[in-house]
Amino acid sequence: MNVQIEESWKQHLAPEFEKDYFIRLTEFVRSEYQTATIYPPGRFIFNAFNLCPFDKVKVVIIGQDPYHGPGQAHGLCFSVNDGVPIPPSLQNIFKEIQSDLGAPIPTSGNLTRWANQGVLLLNATLTVRAHQAGSHQRRGWEEFTDAAIRVLAEQRENIVFILWGSYAQKKGAFIDRNKHLVLASAHPSPLSAYNGFFGNKHFSRTNEYLQAHGQTPIEW
């Protein structure tokens, strides 16, 4: 599977790799890749971490599951590879950025450029079976990604945590609002975007907070 995680994250998450749940998770994921079509490709499982080292994280966006269609998932929540049609939730994210900041809507849904600027695009579950949404939930990934969020929230300061939808909001409920900025709203899905996602101004609010704490804003 050729799976590796960036060195600073490996150090901060070292205790997790020794735990029973992670050993069971590793065995499960390995067998799934051997017997079924699993997304993303193995080398991209930890892509969010690999593109965004621990000390470089400025913003965390929490998603739920990788995309489960061919060629879409590459280890960053909401993001798809170049040349892949932009999914509806990401279309709505781009519309909100345009409305909030006046930025043009991109032609590609590849968010690697965000990750390179310090945006950790973290799904709660890092793998999925083709065409089976949620198929790798409750196998241990959620515990692992909770640990990643917790270590950031406890050991860093002045990070922006963006929580869209009730799932992400529950996952980030423990974050200390005195140390970090937590932005919550409805999910950008077409089912809920008009219930409070549109108009949330999370992108300008993120940049204002980063600048107020001496950091470079994100080029959304």
Side-chain angles (χ1 to χ4, degrees):
M1 277 166 54
N2 186 27
V3 175
Q4 293 181 324
I5 191 166
E6 189 272 334
E7 194 58 39
S8 64
W9 278 110
K10 188 188 284 186
Q11 291 169 11
H12 281 94
L13 293 171
E16 301 306 308
F17 301 128
E18 309 299 322
K19 291 180 180 175
D20 288 346
Y21 87 84
F22 194 85
I23 293 163
R24 286 194 303 271
L25 171 65
T26 303
E27 290 168 356
F28 167 73
V29 169
R30 189 171 286 129
S31 72
E32 284 283 280
Y33 273 90
Q34 288 167 352
T35 57
T37 301
I38 306 299
Y39 300 124
R43 68 187 184 279
F44 291 125
I45 292 174
F46 294 121
N47 202 24
F49 299 98
N50 294 342
L51 292 175
C52 197
F54 183 84
D55 291 326
K56 298 281 197 320
V57 177
K58 298 177 180 177
V59 181
V60 179
I61 298 178
I62 297 176
Q64 191 162 355
D65 243 25
Y67 295 118
H68 51 80
Q72 291 180 300
H74 62 133
L76 306 177
C77 72
F78 294 106
S79 179
V80 288
N81 282 302
D82 291 322
V84 174
I86 298 174
S89 289
L90 185 54
Q91 289 179 24
N92 286 339
I93 290 168
F94 287 159
K95 284 178 191 169
E96 175 58 23
I97 291 171
Q98 183 182 47
S99 154
D100 186 11
L101 298 171
I105 290 182
T107 53
S108 169
N110 189 331
L111 303 181
T112 299
R113 60 195 173 81
W114 291 6
N116 288 335
Q117 296 178 77
V119 182
L120 182 68
L121 294 160
L122 185 63
N123 274 317
T125 303
L126 299 187
T127 53
V128 69
R129 269 192 181 212
H131 311 300
Q132 294 182 40
S135 48
H136 284 189
Q137 290 176 5
R138 293 178 291 281
R139 291 287 187 164
W141 278 132
E142 295 91 340
E143 197 169 337
F144 178 75
T145 52
D146 280 350
I149 296 164
R150 191 174 299 278
V151 74
L152 274 173
E154 289 176 355
Q155 297 188 23
R156 295 277 313 280
E157 290 184 3
N158 304 325
I159 291 176
V160 182
F161 289 89
I162 296 179
L163 311 177
W164 294 325
S166 58
Y167 183 90
Q169 286 160 29
K170 287 192 194 97
K171 197 166 176 72
F174 65 85
I175 297 162
D176 184 347
R177 269 67 171 169
N178 296 315
K179 271 175 73 175
H180 304 284
L181 177 63
V182 177
L183 298 174
S185 78
H187 194 276
S189 153
L191 301 173
S192 56
Y194 287 97
N195 294 333
F197 175 77
F198 287 130
N200 66 21
K201 300 201 179 299
H202 281 181
F203 304 97
S204 58
R205 289 168 68 188
T206 293
N207 281 351
E208 286 161 11
Y209 181 85
L210 291 174
Q211 286 177 293
H213 291 89
Q215 299 195 70
T216 314
I218 307 296
E219 286 186 30
W220 297 108

